[in-house]
Amino acid sequence: MKEPTTATAGIATTLQARRKSLGVTQAQLADLAGVSPKFVYDLEKGKPSVSLDRVLLVISALGLSFNLEIMANE
């Protein structure tokens, strides 16, 4: 199982890479998602305590989706 900090960092890196590939600034993404620029900054820096509902807004604004997967016990 991935450690929470590793998973958070992976999400942050993925979202930042997608934003940059779209040529969108953090401020523009914040406006599109209806969140604050500080939230986008914190999310991309891997802050571990962010609001899931706002994370989902950012994911959607980037044209991505969020899926959960049940992992088998090792």
Side-chain angles (χ1 to χ4, degrees), residues 6-46:
T6 303
T8 302
I11 292 168
T13 300
T14 300
L15 296 180
Q16 184 179 56
R18 174 66 174 170
R19 177 183 61 77
K20 287 182 176 183
S21 76
L22 294 172
V24 176
T25 67
Q26 287 181 338
Q28 290 168 327
L29 175 56
D31 189 48
L32 289 169
V35 300
S36 72
K38 171 107 170 74
F39 180 81
V40 173
Y41 174 84
D42 288 344
L43 179 59
E44 288 187 359
K45 292 302 176 197

Side-chain angles (χ1 to χ4, degrees), residues 41-62:
Y41 174 84
D42 288 344
L43 179 59
E44 288 187 359
K45 292 302 176 197
K47 182 178 177 183
S49 59
V50 292
S51 176
L52 180 59
D53 60 334
R54 291 189 287 163
V55 172
L56 295 174
L57 289 171
V58 171
I59 288 171
S60 178
L62 289 170

Side-chain angles (χ1 to χ4, degrees), residues 58-70:
V58 171
I59 288 171
S60 178
L62 289 170
L64 301 172
S65 64
F66 180 80
N67 297 300
L68 294 175
E69 181 179 320
I70 298 174

